[in-house]
Amino acid sequence: IAEFNILRRVIFRTLEAKGAITSRERDIIYESISIALAKAGAEYARTQIKEVEQFKTRLQLIPDIQPTLIAHLDRELHYLFVNETYRDWFHVDPSTLLNKNVADIFSKDIYEALKNKSKEALQGKTVHFKHWVTYPSGKKYVEVTYKPHFEDGEVTGIFVSVDDLTEEMTIIETLRQEQ
């Protein structure tokens, strides 16, 4: 647009200097071009916004198709993001978990265990652990990963990944009992 404005000024000055247009005609043409540019800019902005929204929708599908719980927590352990798998495990609309604290979601004993592990992640360490947890969808043996989220060198939150290993653990326990 800047290049267009420079070219426009050069053309109009040349036409004015040669007497091809009056200053009033120039002003009318300027106004018409400005309106057209504003409309084109607005249409371009709408197109850009639409493309960003489409990209966000496609990007959201990636964590939503995973059988793993995926979340992002802030430093106070409030949910900033949860994937669609939370619907199956917690029997709630995932959006209802946003801004809730982990303490509001889990029992006190589970919360205490998670809080202690999250402290390590908030100190900048990636944490892996496995344990049994009872969810509304049932008791599960899970493998949890807490990965610190860094911004400008500071830990601002935690990325969470929770995999259901119940089936594998059940097989292992069955094999142990058979021995």
Side-chain angles (χ1 to χ4, degrees), residues 2-179:
E3 293 86 0
F4 177 79
N5 285 331
I6 292 169
L7 180 60
R8 180 180 66 175
R9 279 195 300 271
V10 169
I11 290 170
F12 282 123
R13 284 186 184 149
T14 303
L15 289 173
E16 257 185 293
K18 293 183 178 184
I21 61 170
T22 66
S23 61
R24 173 80 180 120
E25 292 169 328
R26 180 205 65 214
D27 292 344
I28 291 170
I29 294 170
Y30 261 28
E31 175 120 359
S32 297
I33 290 172
S34 295
I35 290 170
L37 284 174
K39 286 180 180 177
E43 181 60 31
Y44 177 76
R46 280 192 293 277
T47 301
Q48 291 299 103
I49 290 169
K50 184 178 178 182
E51 288 177 11
V52 167
E53 290 301 321
Q54 289 172 342
F55 177 75
K56 283 172 55 178
T57 299
R58 286 191 307 272
L59 196 58
Q60 179 67 41
L61 291 174
I62 295 169
D64 282 349
I65 64 170
Q66 303 302 314
T68 301
L69 292 179
I70 299 171
H72 183 207
L73 305 173
D74 67 12
R75 288 193 61 81
E76 289 76 38
L77 305 182
H78 293 98
Y79 286 95
L80 302 175
F81 169 85
V82 296
N83 69 337
E84 188 64 24
T85 306
Y86 276 77
R87 181 182 307 278
D88 299 330
W89 288 34
F90 287 87
H91 298 244
V92 297
D93 180 333
S95 67
T96 63
L97 299 175
L98 298 179
N99 299 313
K100 285 193 177 178
N101 192 282
V102 173
D104 300 329
I105 309 299
F106 291 98
S107 66
K108 185 175 171 89
D109 58 329
I110 295 297
Y111 169 71
E112 288 302 320
L114 297 176
K115 187 172 93 173
N116 289 334
K117 298 292 186 181
S118 66
K119 284 180 183 177
E120 293 180 55
L122 289 169
Q123 292 172 356
K125 179 182 174 191
T126 298
V127 180
H128 302 281
F129 57 99
K130 297 176 185 176
H131 64 103
W132 285 98
V133 178
T134 302
Y135 295 91
S137 59
K139 190 172 183 180
K140 298 178 186 291
Y141 187 73
V142 294
E143 179 176 29
V144 181
T145 301
Y146 286 167
K147 180 128 178 95
H149 176 206
F150 289 94
E151 285 184 18
D152 300 323
E154 296 290 321
V155 178
T156 60
I158 304 169
F159 293 110
V160 179
S161 172
V162 182
D163 291 302
D164 183 358
L165 302 179
T166 307
E167 190 174 318
E168 291 87 344
M169 183 53 98
T170 303
I171 292 169
I172 290 169
E173 288 180 352
T174 301
L175 290 172
R176 282 184 188 151
Q177 289 174 359
E178 290 176 359
Q179 290 179 352

